[in-house]
Amino acid sequence: MTTATLSEFRANQSDYIAAAQKAPVELTSRGAKRRAVVVSPEFFDRAIQALEDQADIADAAKARSENERISHR
């Protein structure tokens, strides 16, 4: 993972955004304090989908444990 300070990011935004298309870019402030991570839109979309899938799996497991009917709509 590429790491840059916020100052470096401001000075070279296009370079870091291009790098984020291949791998996340961690932005730090005041030394090692992580402030943000820049990722590609595709990475973001996959991450959100994975979180939603995990929530659906957890909801289904809870419904099964409560002997509720599971809708597959």
Side-chain angles (χ1 to χ4, degrees), residues 16-33:
Y16 287 112
I17 290 172
Q21 303 310 303
K22 297 177 182 148
V25 176
E26 181 180 65
L27 302 179
T28 62
S29 178
R30 299 199 166 106
K33 186 175 180 186

Side-chain angles (χ1 to χ4, degrees), residues 59-60 62-73:
D59 290 344
K62 181 180 176 189
R64 278 193 301 276
S65 71
E66 295 172 353
N67 293 321
E68 290 181 17
R69 207 165 200 188
I70 300 172
S71 172
H72 294 285
R73 292 186 218 178

